[in-house]
Every structure is written in structure tokens, then in C-alpha cells.
């Protein structure tokens, strides 16, 4: 039973985002397998190899990236674009901790023009100090990677340089190679020739000619005695590095795009009886499979499927740290093959999809909703985990054209799919055993299947669902009986076929009790059908454009709850006319029309037990609507294109309503503040409650999938706890003020950010300059953290604007200036620590401006005081003469003084 959320503010937070990280191009991996460097349009990304988190992004220069090179230590990265520029970045990694994720700080060291033509191949040596580049003009350059200057220029190729490989005499184990006595560089080009360059002699020592097409791959054996080359002429050549003569030719019968040697003993479980002579070669190309070859016998070790494919391998990265091969494919996927245990073919550890393309549909799988099935503008269905791991769990292959629609049964163990190949398929999902198999195939429609639905009532965990509904562009709806386990396996046949609409069918949904189903079409109508007989019971008319989505409300929701005069079932529809409509099936009339989307409404679902409706629009927004009031209560924005996917998962969670007790601050001597309660730091006893937590998943044409976590109850609980804590703190503050404990009161008023009370506290303290409270307060002011100091400076600025309160502001500012070094205030002004950078700069400017104004006012008063003093002085002199005359007059009257009249 869903909680009543009618009076709560609906809030959602982004929990996880699956977004593109590779759109084709060069891919690099460091030697410790921590980072994967990929090309995303004009940008270059650094992602975590295990989790897929984006660690850094280097923005492009407006031109597409042609290639990149990462040194093995992952400290330097070179990026090349069609603008002929080379940008070298310094990479500084901060490892992950149990509480924080790893980060990479990328700093641009320099940007130079590398060649007079675009660079299509770049390679670093094992030490990470040298960088070789090959341009389209046939020039090979060797660079000091950190210094950014050229050390060698090699000319000789008559076409685009297509392959490069360094040989270092210092091997990875620290030993020196025996055959090659010095540093060498092998280069291949589309002139079909391989040239060997001696870096010490700065000259070409050999030209190897055997291939008849462009050379795509080069590698040196670990001991330097053999050089292997692969070409689009469908052969692999082995060259002796002493005589520079052809040692062996291996026909592979496919265009080779990548070739290399495995480390000795890397292929566990393989032995050809010639341990001293055995060298295993890996290669990949047109067949789209990573293949292994024995260099001694020239025979292939692996066996692969002969099925044709439209994709190919563009590169292979040998991951020595994990003993695996990472194959890069033209469909922007990466497949990680294990070398630890040798079977044939190589086992797949993970599949990384660099770009999902347009996400068309998605469904949660398994009873716990731990997996997510994706339809991504491909004939394959990708299964990903909803947890934090990186890569596809499985790929369901079988459809021959793009998969358009998906649906699941209540148990999550069965998945139905419909595609443009006119077929529907039912898949058995057994996540515990990592088994994902096609259970049945449904053939009969004349055009693409655009809508599909499985039963809603009961659970199918013990057996297959009872039926399947499909809707097609051929404008018909078919009901299929599904063969059960143990029965004689026959090709499924349609129980009935109905001509349903005049245009394409976009959506089908089954009622919660499996008695009705609804179909939505481009003909602007929605029809309600009897599931058993396949007869139309009613038509919902009112939309002005095609209807994209239809969903039955949960059984607990009926029309009377939504304000209808009659009871009855309710359905929600979304249309290209930008509206959402709620319908009652009592008389097939419209109860409410929800308006707010600025583009077509592509998906609608019921959430919160039918209390609300979630909708996805063509403008890239997801909106949450209150079903009863018809108002939009929340808008979720994380997409840049049409949102086709909207599905949900609910889990039961337990929330704690315990209200934490305020922890009073300690003074700098470690003693507790005065007035602290005996229960300080403890919690007020509360209760726990269980609730259903909703997760929405939205998928868009921008290749992005967003997981939205419903935080409504948590937000409300947090607000309640904060309100209760605030009341307690307000009472505590009143108690401090009542007991004249200004020191504790000021600390609490700062944390509560009460400027009025804070001012009155300072005013009361400084009203008695000789009070012991002054010393206690100044002690508190000298031990503030950055956040408290920033708040107090903001308050000082405000108080300083008023002449009546400027005295208190100046007293407090004087204490702060005496208590902290100037560097502390500079750091706050620059945004370090707890300050807000430019905001603190404005605070200081405000304090400065009004302080100068008050200073000028005081100077003017001082100047005016001289006039008063002069006046008083003059008045005193006059008063003195008057007083003297009065004394004389008194003496005359008394007869004590003789007076002479003139």
C-alpha cells in the first residue's frame, strides 16, 4: 500500500547516469588498468576502468580527434585533431578512498602544430618519455613527450603512416633485450612497406617488403628477436630482427586491424610442446573476433563463430595487469577477453558499450529489479546492472533488425521483445546462473512490431507467462498462447488476430486483473478490448494527434477518487498533441486533461500506487502529475533530446525518525561550553517506519539513461527532524540569553545564523566593557571556523551600514583583526576554505566602504569639536571677566574696598 503523498512536496534526485563515453576513435589504457581514455566526439574522456565514472574531460578545439596517446604511467596524454594540433596534458591522479572517488586533474602543458597534415597514429615507449607520431604526409617524428620538442625526423614513407611501435632495450622486467641492441622504431604505411629506424643512429636500418596492402599493426616480441606485422592483405608476417628477413607468413583470411605478442606464459593452459619457442600472437579485424595464433606452427589456437557480422575490430589493447585483451569494435563497444584460463574461444569478462545510441525502451528484470534490459536502436538487447558496476551483464542476440519494444512479467524472470524484423521473442531470465535464453519466437505479423505486453496478474516465476499480446504497423493486434515447460515444443500460433486501428499501433497495456487490454494508435484513438474474446468494448476519442502511450491505473484507483461521477477503471494516455488525458471506462469519457509539455508526450506511467502520473516528453523533460488535482508537482530535467523510456522500480525501505540531539561546540581548551545539557550529543528516541521507495528510469535519444530516486519521504523526514531540532535550539538560545550566558548564546546564534539576536547579544556584552563576559566572548571569536567567520563578516558588513550599530560592528571587527592573521582573510576572499570567493570579496568591499564613511564622519566631528572648544574657551574668558567684576562689586557694597569715582 503506497503512502499518502498528497500533502508532501515531491522530490527526486539523480541516483545514477549511464551516458556515452566513446563515439569511435582511439582508445588507450594505462599499464595498471586504472584509467580508460576514450574519444567522445570532439572531447577526450578519462573514465575509471572498473566503475566507469568520468574522472576528467578534455574539451576539443572544434575539430574531430584523429588519435591520442597515453604514456604507460598515465602521467602524460597527447591528443591530436584534424586541425593538425597536438595538445599535451599532465595528469595527476588522486586515488580513491573508502569515502571518496578517484579523481584526475588534467593540466594543459602545451599545444603545438605536430605535422603539416593530420596525425592518424601515435605511440609512446615503455618508459613514457618518448612519443612517435605519423602524419598523413608520410613523415615520422619522435618527440620528447614532457618537453614537447622533436628529437627525430624520419622521412621515407610514400603514404599515410598507419602503424608505429617502439622497441626499448629495457624490458618491463628491467632486463636488457638480447637481439636488438638499441632503441628502435618500426613504422608502417599505406605504401605497404615497413621501415625500421635506429634512434641512436638516426637512420633507417631496414625496409621490409612483403605486404600488398596498408600495414595496420606492428609489435616486437618481448626479447626483441621477432617483429610481427598485420595488414589488410589478410596475412600476418613474422620478421627476424637480426637478418631483417621474413621468418613466417600466417594467412588469417581477414583484413587485420590489430596484431601483437602476448607475454610469455600469459595464455594459461596452452602448451604446444615447444615451450622455448612458443610465442602467441593476438590479432583482430574484419571478422569482429579476437583470435590467437601460434607463431611457431602458424596455426590458430582459438575457434570462432562463422556467423556474418556488419561490425569489425578496429584495435586491440593487451592488458598485462589483468591478463586480458580489450578489443575495440566499430559499433563503439569494447569486449574484455580473459586469458587466465585457456578455452576456445576466449571467454568474455565484460562488454562495455561506449555509446547506446537512441534508447528506445527499457524494463527492469529479476524479482529484485537488479537488472535493466535496454533496447538501443540495435538488433541486440543489452542487459545492464542497476548497481554501480561498469559494463553489460549480457547481450541478447536473436532479432535481425532493431528492437522497438520491451515488456516484462510481474516476476521479472521473463522478458518479451518486439522488433522491426516482424517477430516477437520471449526470453527466460535466470540471473543467478547467468543464463539468458530465448524461450519462444512468435512469427506472424506482416510489418514491424511496435507494441508488446505480458500478463499483469500473478507471478510467472515457476513457469512461462500464459499469453502474449503484440501490436504492429500492420494495424493488427495478436494474442499468442505461450507453450509451457514440459509441453511439446511447437511454433506458437496466434489465438486471434484483430484489425485494431487505421494506423500504426504504438502501445498496448493489460489491465491488472488480465481481463482487458488497451491499444493506442497513430489514428488518435485508444481502444479497450476484452482479453478473452478479443472484442472491442469501447473507444477513447479526444486526442488531436496520434497516441503514443496508454496505461491502466492500479486496481486501487478508480474514477470516483479522481472526481468522476461514476466509478470504474481508469487509464492514462499520452499523445503527440502535448496532452495527457485520464479516462474512465465506466462511460469511456475523459476525466482530466493535463497540459504542460511543450512537445509530444511519449510515455506515461502510474506511480505512488496511482496517486500520481509520470510522463516523458519530446522536449527532454519528465513531469510528475497529481492525479487528483491535475497539477504538475515536479519536473525532472537531465536529457537533451526526446525521452522515449520511462519505467519504475519500487523497493521497501525502513526509515529512522530519530531526531539527533544538538552537539554543543567545544572551546579551544577542550572543555564543554557552559550550559550544556547532560544529554548533549545523544539522540531523542524516535520510531522507524517502512515505506516503498520509487526509482524512475528515463532514457532518451541523447544516449543517456538517468536513474531518478524518489526522495519525497526522506526530504519530509529530514525537514521534520530539522524543524524539531531548530525548535530545541531556539529554546536553548533563549535559555542562554535568560541566564546571561552570552558566550554560549553567541556560539549558538552563529550556528543558527540569527543576525538580530547576534547583534543584541554583542550589544549587551559591550554595554559593560569591564564585564568578564567580554573576555569570554572574545575568546569565542578567536576560535571560529571558516564558515562561521564568513557568516560573522557578512553580519558585520550589514551592521556597519547603520550608524547606530556600527560601533558594535567595529568592536567585533577589531577583535577579529587582532585574532587572525591576514592570510586567513585573504584565503576566504579567494574562495579557499569555507568562503565563497567573489561573495567574500564583496563583503570586504562593503566593510571597507562604510568603515571609511564612518571614519570621515568621526573626523568631521573632531573638526567640529574644535569650534565647540574655541567657543567654550571664549565663553570661559568672558565669564571670567564677569565673575571678577561681580567680586569687586561685592567688596564695594560690603565697604571693604575704597572706590575712587572718576
Amino acid at each position: 500500500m503506497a503512502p499518502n503523498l498528497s500533502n508532501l512536496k515531491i522530490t527526486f534526485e539523480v541516483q545514477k547516469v549511464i551516458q556515452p563515453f566513446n563515439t569511435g576513435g582511439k582508445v588507450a589504457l594505462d599499464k595498471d588498468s586504472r584509467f580508460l581514455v576514450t574519444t567522445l566526439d570532439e572531447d577526450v574522456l578519462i573514465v575509471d576502468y572498473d566503475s566507469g565514472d568520468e574522472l576528467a574531460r578534455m574539451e576539443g578545439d572544434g575539430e574531430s580527434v584523429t588519435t591520442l596517446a597515453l604514456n604507460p604511467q598515465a602521467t602524460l596524454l597527447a591528443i591530436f585533431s584534424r586541425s593538425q594540433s597536438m595538445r599535451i596534458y599532465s595528469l595527476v591522479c588522486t586515488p580513491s578512498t573508502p569515502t571518496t572517488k578517484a579523481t584526475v586533474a588534467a593540466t594543459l602543458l602545451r599545444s603545438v602544430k605536430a605535422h603539416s597534415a593530420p596525425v592518424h597514429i601515435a605511440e609512446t615507449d615503455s618508459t613514457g618519455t618518448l612519443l612517435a607520431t605519423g602524419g598523413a604526409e608520410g613523415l615520422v617524428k619522435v618527440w620528447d613527450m614532457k618537453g614537447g620538442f622533436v628529437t627525430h625526423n624520419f622521412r621515407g614513407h610514400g603514404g599515410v603512416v598507419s602503424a608505429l611501435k617502439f622497441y626499448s632495450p629495457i624490458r618491463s622486467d628491467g632486463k636488457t633485450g638480447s637481439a636488438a641492441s638499441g632503441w628502435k622504431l618500426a613504422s608502417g604505411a599505406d605504401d605497404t612497406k615497413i621501415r625500421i629506424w635506429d634512434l641512436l643512429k638516426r637512420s633507417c636500418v631496414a625496409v621490409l617488403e612483403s605486404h600488398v596492402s596498408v600495414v595496420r599493426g606492428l609489435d616486437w616480441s618481448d626479447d626483441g628477436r621477432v617483429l610481427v606485422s598485420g595488414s589488410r592483405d589478410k596475412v600476418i608476417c613474422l620478421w627476424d630482427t637480426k637478418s631483417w628477413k621474413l621468418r613466417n607468413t600466417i594467412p588469417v583470411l581477414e583484413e587485420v586491424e590489430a596484431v601483437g605478442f602476448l607475454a610469455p606464459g600469459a595464455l594459461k593452459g596452452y602448451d604446444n610442446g615447444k615451450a622455448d619457442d612458443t610465442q602467441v600472437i593476438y590479432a583482430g579485424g574484419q571478422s569482429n573476433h579476437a583470435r590467437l595464433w601460434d607463431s611457431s606452427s602458424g596455426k590458430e589456437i582459438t575457434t570462432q563463430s562463422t556467423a556474418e557480422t556488419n561490425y569489425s575490430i578496429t584495435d586491440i589493447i593487451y592488458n598485462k595487469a589483468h591478463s586480458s585483451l580489450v578489443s575495440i569494435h566499430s559499433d563503439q563497444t569494447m569486449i574484455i577477453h580473459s586469458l587466465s584460463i585457456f578455452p576456445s574461444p576466449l571467454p568474455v569478462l565484460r562488454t562495455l558499450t561506449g555509446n547506446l545510441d537512441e534508447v528506445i525502451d527499457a524494463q527492469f528484470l529479476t524479482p529484485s529489479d537488479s537488472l535493466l534490459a535496454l533496447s538501443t536502436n540495435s538488433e541486440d538487447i543489452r542487459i545492464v546492472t542497476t548497481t554501480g558496476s561498469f559494463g553489460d551483464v549480457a547481450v541478447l542476440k536473436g532479432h535481425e533488425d532493431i528492437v522497438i519494444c520491451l515488456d516484462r512479467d510481474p516476476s521479472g524472470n521473463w522478458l518479451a521483445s518486439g522488433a522491426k524484423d516482424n517477430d516477437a521473442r520471449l526470453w527466460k531470465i535466470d540471473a543467478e546462473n547467468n543464463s539468458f535464453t530465448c524461450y519462444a519466437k512468435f512469427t506472424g505479423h506482416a510489418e514491424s512490431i511496435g507494441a508488446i505486453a505480458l500478463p499483469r496478474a500473478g507471478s510467472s516465476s515457476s513457469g512461462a507467462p500464459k499469453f502474449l499480446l503484440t501490436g504492429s504497423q500492420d494495424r493488427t493486434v495478436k494474442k499468442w498462447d505461450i507453450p509451457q515447460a514440459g509441453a511439446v515444443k511447437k511454433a506458437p500460433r496466434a489465438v486471434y488476430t484483430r484489425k485494431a486501428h487505421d494506423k500504426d499501433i504504438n502501445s498496448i497495456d493489460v489491465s491488472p486483473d488480465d481481463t482487458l487490454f488497451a491499444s493506442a494508435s497513430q489514428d488518435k484513438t485508444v481502444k479497450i478490448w476484452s482479453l478473452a474474446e478479443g472484442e472491442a468494448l469501447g473507444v477513447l476519442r479526444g486526442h488531436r494527434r496520434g497516441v503514443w502511450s496508454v496505461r491502466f491505473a492500479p486496481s486501487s484507483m478508480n474514477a470516483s477518487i479522481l472526481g468522476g461521477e461514476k466509478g470504474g477503471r481508469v487509464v492514462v494516455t499520452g499523445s503527440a498533441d502535448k496532452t495527457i488525458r485520464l479516462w474512465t471506462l465506466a462511460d469511456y469519457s475523459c476525466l482530466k486533461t493535463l497540459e504542460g509539455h511543450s512537445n509530444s508526450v511519449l510515455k506515461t506511467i502510474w506511480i505512488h500506487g496511482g496517486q500520481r502520473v509520470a510522463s516523458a516528453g519530446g522536449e527532454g523533460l519528465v513531469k510528475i502529475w497529481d492525479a487528483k488535482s491535475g497539477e504538475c508537482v515536479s519536473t525532472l530535467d537531465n536529457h537533451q533530446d526526446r525521452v522515449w523510456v520511462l519505467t519504475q522500480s519500487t523497493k521497501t525501505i525502513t526509515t529512522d525518525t530519530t531526531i539527533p540531539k544538538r552537539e554543543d561546540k567545544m572551546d579551544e581548551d577542550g572543555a564543554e561550553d557552559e550550559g550544556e545539557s547532560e544529554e548533549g550529543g545523544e539522540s531523542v528516541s524516535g520510531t522507524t517506519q517502512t515505506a516503498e521507495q520509487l526509482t524512475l528510469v528515463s532514457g532518451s535519444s541523447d544516449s543517456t539513461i538517468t536513474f531518478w530516486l524518489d526522495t519525497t519521504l526522506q526530504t519530509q523526514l529530514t525537514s521534520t527532524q530539522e524543524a524539531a531540532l531548530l525548535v530545541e535550539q531556539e529554546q536553548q538560545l533563549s535559555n542562554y540569553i535568560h541566564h546571561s550566558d552570552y558566550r554560549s548564546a553567541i556560539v549558538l546564534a552563529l550556528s543558527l545564523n540569527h543576525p538580530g539576536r547576534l547583534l543584541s547579544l554583542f550589544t549587551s556584552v559591550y554595554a559593560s566593557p569591564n564585564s568578564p563576559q567580554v573576555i569570554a566572548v572574545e575568546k569565542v571569536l578567536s576560535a571560529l571556523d571558516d564558515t562561521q567567520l564568513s557568516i560573522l563578516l557578512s553580519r558585520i558588513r550589514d551592521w556597519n551600514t547603520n550608524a547606530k550599530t556600527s560601533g558594535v560592528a567595529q568592536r567585533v571587527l577589531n577583535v577579529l583583526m587582532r585574532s587572525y592573521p591576514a592570510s586567513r582573510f585573504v584565503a576566504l576572499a579567494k574562495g579557499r576554505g569555507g568562503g565563497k570567493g567573489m561573495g567574500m570579496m564583496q563583503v570586504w568591499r562593503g566593510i571597507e566602504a562604510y568603515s571609511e564613511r564612518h571614519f570621515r564622519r568621526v573626523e568631521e566631528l573632531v573638526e567640529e569639536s574644535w569650534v565647540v572648544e574655541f567657543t567654550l574657551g571664549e565663553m570661559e574668558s568672558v565669564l571670567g571677566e564677569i565673575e571678577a567684576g561681580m567680586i569687586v562689586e561685592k567688596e564695594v557694597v560690603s565697604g571693604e574696598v575704597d572706590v575712587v569715582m572718576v
Side-chain angles (χ1 to χ4, degrees), residues 18-20 23 41 332 355-361 375-377 548 599-600 602 616-622 638-646 698-706:
I18 300 177
Q19 57 188 357
T23 53
D41 297 325
Q332 301 168 358
N355 185 13
L356 292 174
D357 203 356
E358 189 170 10
V359 184
I360 301 174
D361 206 351
S375 167
T376 59
N377 204 25
W548 282 106
N599 211 318
S600 301
L602 304 175
E619 75 277 27
L621 300 178
V622 176
N638 195 46
H639 296 284
Q640 305 297 324
D641 208 338
R642 296 183 299 273
V643 180
W644 291 103
V645 175
L646 194 59
S698 58
S700 169
S701 296
D702 61 4
S703 308
T704 301
I705 298 173
T706 304

Side-chain angles (χ1 to χ4, degrees), residues 569-685:
R569 301 176 187 266
V570 179
V571 297
V572 61
T573 58
S575 168
D577 62 8
K578 310 175 187 178
T579 64
I580 302 161
R581 290 177 182 259
L582 305 181
W583 309 80
T584 173
L585 301 189
D587 54 6
Y588 304 103
S589 62
C590 178
L591 294 172
K592 284 183 173 65
T593 300
L594 313 181
E595 298 181 352
H597 282 284
S598 60
N599 211 318
S600 301
V601 179
L602 304 175
K603 202 82 168 183
T604 54
I605 59 173
W606 295 90
I607 61 174
H608 295 156
Q611 298 179 42
R612 305 193 186 279
V613 172
S615 62
E619 75 277 27
L621 300 178
V622 176
K623 290 182 177 289
I624 311 298
W625 308 81
D626 186 279
K628 194 170 184 179
S629 66
E631 296 179 354
C632 178
V633 294
S634 184
T635 299
L636 314 181
D637 183 8
N638 195 46
H639 296 284
Q640 305 297 324
D641 208 338
R642 296 183 299 273
V643 180
W644 291 103
V645 175
L646 194 59
T647 187
Q648 64 176 316
S649 170
T650 56
K651 294 181 180 179
T652 301
I653 61 171
T654 301
T655 56
D656 187 5
T657 60
T658 301
I659 301 174
K661 191 76 173 178
R662 180 184 65 85
E663 295 185 6
D664 292 317
K665 290 182 66 68
M666 298 287 186
D667 63 21
E668 62 183 0
D669 297 327
E672 292 183 350
D673 286 343
E674 298 177 5
E676 180 183 12
S677 65
E678 295 181 358
E679 297 179 351
E682 297 180 357
S683 299
V684 178
S685 59

Side-chain angles (χ1 to χ4, degrees), residues 416-465:
S417 60
K420 283 188 175 182
D421 58 6
N422 306 346
D423 293 338
R425 289 177 179 261
L426 182 67
W427 308 83
K428 171 64 176 174
I429 308 299
D430 185 1
E432 293 183 358
N433 298 318
N434 199 29
S435 173
F436 306 89
T437 57
C438 181
Y439 182 81
K441 178 181 177 181
F442 305 88
T443 303
H445 281 288
E447 294 189 42
S448 301
I449 296 177
I452 199 165
L454 286 171
R456 300 286 183 256
S459 175
S460 305
S461 58
S462 59

Side-chain angles (χ1 to χ4, degrees), residues 231-249:
S231 170
R232 289 179 180 171
D233 59 7
K234 303 183 181 181
V235 297
I236 293 174
C237 293
L238 298 173
W239 307 85
D240 188 286
T241 59
K242 286 187 176 181
S243 60
W244 298 115
K245 291 184 179 180
L246 185 63
R247 184 173 177 178
N248 193 9
T249 300

Side-chain angles (χ1 to χ4, degrees), residues 280-303:
V280 178
I281 301 170
Y282 64 85
Q286 189 178 14
S287 67
N288 204 37
H289 298 294
R291 305 166 69 183
L292 301 181
W293 303 80
D294 188 305
S295 62
S296 300
S297 63
K299 294 182 180 179
E300 184 176 3
I301 301 172
T302 54
T303 58

